[in-house]
Amino acid sequence: RKEVEQDPGPFNVPEGATVAFNCTYSNSASQSFFWYRQDCRKEPKLLMSVYSSGNEDGRFTAQLNRASQYISLLIRDSKLSDSATYLCVVRFFSGYALNFGKGTSLLVTP
Amino acid sequence: DGGITQSPKYLFRKEGQNVTLSCEQNLNHDAMYWYRQDPGQGLRLIYYSQIVNDFQKGDIAEGYSVSREKKESFPLTVTSAQKNPTAFYLCASRQTGGIEAFFGQGTRLTVV
């Protein structure tokens, strides 16, 4: 079983739509959670960390459910520039490395 | 400006040749990582290093080797033992206790 699983999509949504991505992780001893964004043929960049209480950054809201081992990312009022691949990332207690999901592809259309 | 630099951006090699990918950071980060990304796949960990002169195998270390002689540098050698080396290679660094990992721009290796 893959340690971090995401729906690969693609998600095709019109501008202004709200879209949600989900992610599950298998290791209950996980410490830190993140969403990274990766543009085509570029390196990943941190979008936001995910905290147990949930957190928001502008149009982006991240949620963590430790009991269900589930992470989500909500994007409101989608922009064309939001088109990218969104990577769910988990760091376990026992290690220092980041574990990546395969990513969810988002295409926002005019 | 502080950052993490990978070179070259594109690399072509003949099958059976070893090749070394460079990764340098001036962020004074302790930890450095090498990942491989194939089309439609997530990042898979090859090797990581938490401190100078120490490194650990990741999930797909076979056919690769690394060194960490200096804090700033973490080169990756793709050996002829790696059966399918064509991929996008990403180097990252992170300060111990820090949240964010910073990535270099990546090296696209094509073996022909």
Side-chain angles (χ1 to χ4, degrees):
Chain A
R1 180 183 172 188
K2 186 128 176 60
E3 292 178 327
V4 182
E5 296 209 49
Q6 296 180 248
D7 180 346
F11 284 65
N12 294 334
V13 302
E15 257 185 304
T18 295
V19 61
F21 304 140
N22 302 320
C23 170
T24 58
Y25 60 94
S26 61
N27 189 333
S28 59
S30 295
Q31 179 181 38
S32 308
F33 309 88
F34 313 92
W35 285 100
Y36 274 69
R37 169 189 169 134
Q38 186 175 25
D39 292 295
C40 188
R41 302 179 73 82
K42 300 285 190 180
E43 76 275 21
K45 293 185 179 177
L46 180 67
L47 178 65
M48 58 196 304
S49 300
V50 187
Y51 303 115
S52 297
S53 56
N55 49 298
E56 188 173 309
D57 182 2
R59 298 181 292 107
F60 299 84
T61 300
Q63 296 279 351
L64 168 64
N65 184 322
R66 283 189 183 270
S68 302
Q69 296 179 200
Y70 171 94
I71 306 160
S72 66
L73 176 68
L74 183 76
I75 305 176
R76 291 182 300 277
D77 188 23
S78 299
K79 311 292 185 191
L80 296 177
S81 57
D82 293 334
S83 297
T85 297
Y86 291 84
L87 300 166
C88 177
V89 185
V90 175
R91 185 162 66 87
F92 305 142
F93 277 117
S94 59
Y96 288 82
L98 299 175
N99 297 274
F100 287 77
K102 291 185 178 182
T104 298
S105 176
L106 172 65
L107 178 62
V108 181
T109 55
Chain B
D1 288 334
I4 182 165
T5 302
Q6 289 185 242
S7 61
K9 191 171 181 180
Y10 298 96
L11 188 56
F12 295 87
R13 278 295 181 268
K14 291 183 179 178
E15 196 171 337
Q17 289 183 333
N18 291 358
V19 60
T20 297
L21 281 57
S22 170
C23 179
E24 304 279 332
Q25 54 99 0
N26 60 4
L27 300 166
N28 200 33
H29 286 173
D30 295 311
M32 296 187 74
Y33 311 86
W34 274 106
Y35 290 90
R36 168 183 173 142
Q37 188 175 34
D38 295 281
Q41 301 292 316
L43 279 67
R44 292 185 290 167
L45 182 65
I46 305 172
Y47 268 98
Y48 66 100
S49 169
Q50 297 172 29
I51 55 172
V52 175
N53 292 322
D54 182 65
F55 48 83
Q56 307 293 329
K57 291 182 179 180
D59 300 320
I60 55 165
E62 185 175 350
Y64 299 98
S65 65
V66 294
S67 62
R68 187 84 187 276
E69 297 176 1
K70 298 186 297 182
K71 189 175 187 178
E72 315 82 69
S73 180
F74 191 40
L76 173 74
T77 296
V78 184
T79 75
S80 56
Q82 169 50 234
K83 298 304 178 190
N84 186 18
T86 294
F88 186 38
Y89 289 87
L90 287 156
C91 179
S93 70
R94 187 177 71 90
Q95 184 58 277
T96 302
I99 291 175
E100 183 174 0
F102 294 85
F103 283 84
Q105 292 187 312
T107 293
R108 291 196 179 274
L109 173 64
T110 302
V111 175
V112 295

